[in-house]
Amino acid sequence: MTVMVARKKVVRKWEKLPGRNTFCCDGRIMMARQKGIFYLTLFLILGTCALFFAFECRYLAVQLSPAIPVFAAVLFLFAMATLLRTSFSDPGVIPRALPDEAAFIEMEIEATNGTVPQGQRPPPRIKNFQINNQIVKLKYCYTCKIFRPPRASHCSICDNCVERFDHHCPWVGNCVGKRNYRYFYLFILSLSLLTIYIFTFNIVYVALSDDTAGLGLFPGCPWSLTVLTVLEVLICFFTLWSVVGLTGFHTFLVALNQTTNEDIKGSWTGKNRVQNPYSHGNIVKNCCEVLCGPLPPSVLDRRGILQQEESTSQEESCPRAPSAPEPTAGQAASSAPQDSGIPHWSAVPVSPLSDAEEPDEKELTSGELPVPPQDAGQAEH
């Protein structure tokens, strides 16, 4: 006998999310698929700091102050914490429209624009929205099937609409948006300070060191220029300009309450000279809103549960009831029921007939008596 058994398999929502993202730790970590440059960032930071702590810090702590390695460790830990927080968090991805929602939006667009003649280009799908007496256009995303909120944009690398989209940073392996921009800014700020710190004390180490033993690049040089120290100086020197310049650029954007995407497109500095409706006109207020404002929760619900039923067939053998032994002639005679005038009912229940199985009965007209069956008449005689 074959029995169909339905089993429920627990599936998290992050396993079914569209887009080009990777998830780890049961959906707790969210990153882009292109993570090669992110690993390079980790290698450069960890390698440079490891060399600095292993060689220069010991000498500088004895010759100058023991606070030098302590302050370097604080900067290093803070930079790593903000980097991982930026890389592993949801930048503010907006969920895509469900099929019913997408169909409803299409109906609204068709009702608004009307029927477009064949061969003509349909009008752009745009909604006007007013913010601080400024008209802001909400654009329609053909991939996510939604009208994007203000300042949102679709990332072509992650294939998601991100709220308050700033840019996609391959160095952190994630998009930078509303939910992780402050951590990104704190990361590049702390990394700039750490780079300047290591670069400065490498120069101090070269100037103060009198040890002529070891690997020297230039024989007879009064300073001990080891290969590792020069390597650190070169890495810090080339990193310094890019990181410090990037920090200055984002400081300018934070002061204006503007995003990189808006600055590149010239949204508020174009020909129309439209003022930025999101700016408070005060640097302090803009910085407080961007860096210290409330952090919205993620709307993805990555670790939510989706239940899917899977039906599996299993064959089960039903054991038969043991057959009763045939009675002997004596037992059959003694066990035969005596006619006591009481009808004998069978012990096997009879299932009632359904409507389809019941015999059709003729409807009796008034004044017509029912005719007894033939068997009943013979029984009376």
Side-chain angles (χ1 to χ4, degrees):
M1 181 179 181
T2 303
V3 180
M4 302 298 292
V5 181
R7 293 182 178 180
K8 291 184 178 181
K9 180 183 178 182
V10 177
V11 179
R12 299 285 183 181
K13 290 184 178 180
W14 63 266
E15 302 180 36
K16 301 297 182 180
L17 285 177
R20 293 190 288 267
N21 293 97
T22 56
F23 297 89
C24 301
C25 299
D26 199 15
R28 293 179 177 87
I29 296 177
M30 178 180 180
M31 295 186 66
R33 292 184 182 178
Q34 300 176 357
K35 301 184 290 292
I37 303 181
F38 168 71
Y39 296 140
L40 177 61
T41 304
L42 289 178
F43 175 76
L44 291 176
I45 296 176
L46 294 176
T48 305
C49 292
L51 294 176
F52 180 72
F53 286 119
F55 296 98
E56 288 83 10
C57 272
R58 294 186 299 174
Y59 178 83
L60 295 174
V62 175
Q63 297 295 327
L64 295 180
S65 173
I68 294 176
V70 174
F71 191 71
V74 171
L75 283 177
F76 167 73
L77 294 176
F78 187 80
M80 289 300 300
T82 51
L83 170 62
L84 298 180
R85 183 66 173 81
T86 305
S87 303
F88 294 163
S89 61
D90 173 21
V93 175
I94 304 172
R96 300 188 181 187
L98 299 176
D100 296 340
E101 297 173 348
F104 180 75
I105 294 176
E106 290 288 342
M107 291 175 57
E108 282 188 338
I109 295 173
E110 291 179 359
T112 303
N113 298 335
T115 57
V116 180
Q118 187 176 4
Q120 292 187 7
R121 185 177 181 181
R125 298 183 173 185
I126 293 176
K127 286 185 177 181
N128 293 328
F129 195 76
Q130 187 173 0
I131 300 177
N132 294 332
N133 299 325
Q134 293 284 344
I135 300 299
V136 179
K137 296 180 180 180
L138 305 184
K139 296 182 179 180
Y140 181 80
C141 179
Y142 288 89
T143 303
C144 301
K145 306 296 182 182
I146 60 172
F147 280 97
R148 292 193 292 261
R151 313 186 84 175
S153 184
H154 191 90
C155 177
S156 59
I157 299 177
C158 295
D159 197 21
N160 287 314
C161 280
V162 180
E163 194 173 1
R164 200 187 181 276
F165 177 76
D166 192 86
H167 68 288
H168 182 91
C169 182
W171 296 97
V172 300
N174 203 352
C175 288
V176 179
K178 187 174 183 178
R179 298 193 67 253
N180 64 350
Y181 179 80
R182 66 184 62 181
Y183 301 107
F184 171 77
Y185 178 78
L186 294 176
F187 163 66
I188 59 177
L189 179 62
S190 59
L191 184 61
S192 299
L193 297 177
L194 180 62
T195 305
I196 296 173
Y197 191 85
I198 294 178
F199 180 77
T200 303
F201 280 101
N202 275 330
I203 300 299
V204 173
Y205 169 77
V206 171
L208 296 180
S209 178
D210 294 330
D211 184 14
T212 57
L215 283 175
L217 291 181
F218 306 102
C221 183
W223 303 292
S224 175
L225 299 177
T226 63
V227 174
L228 298 178
T229 304
V230 173
L231 180 62
E232 293 177 49
V233 171
L234 291 177
I235 293 175
C236 293
F237 178 77
F238 289 107
T239 307
L240 190 63
W241 304 105
S242 58
V243 176
V244 174
L246 184 64
T247 305
F249 172 70
H250 279 278
T251 303
F252 169 76
L253 294 179
V254 170
L256 298 179
N257 198 348
Q258 195 172 345
T259 64
T260 305
N261 187 44
E262 294 170 349
D263 182 76
I264 293 175
K265 292 182 177 180
S267 301
W268 317 123
T269 58
K271 297 179 180 179
N272 298 328
R273 294 292 179 180
V274 181
Q275 294 182 357
N276 185 3
Y278 309 104
S279 177
H280 298 280
N282 190 331
I283 296 178
V284 177
K285 290 183 179 180
N286 290 335
C287 293
C288 291
E289 180 182 348
V290 176
L291 301 178
C292 304
L295 189 66
S298 176
V299 295
L300 285 182
D301 189 20
R302 304 189 298 272
R303 304 194 68 250
I305 297 177
L306 293 174
Q307 291 184 351
Q308 294 184 351
E309 292 186 358
E310 292 185 355
S311 58
T312 57
S313 61
Q314 296 180 355
E315 293 185 359
E316 297 179 358
S317 59
C318 298
R320 296 183 179 179
S323 58
E326 297 181 358
T328 59
Q331 292 177 351
S334 60
S335 62
Q338 298 179 359
D339 188 8
S340 58
I342 302 176
H344 177 72
W345 301 95
S346 174
V348 180
V350 179
S351 59
L353 296 176
S354 60
D355 296 338
E357 297 175 354
E358 291 182 357
D360 297 336
E361 296 181 0
K362 292 183 179 180
E363 296 182 358
L364 300 179
T365 60
S366 59
E368 183 179 355
L369 296 177
V371 180
Q374 186 177 0
D375 295 342
Q378 291 177 358
E380 292 179 359
H381 290 291

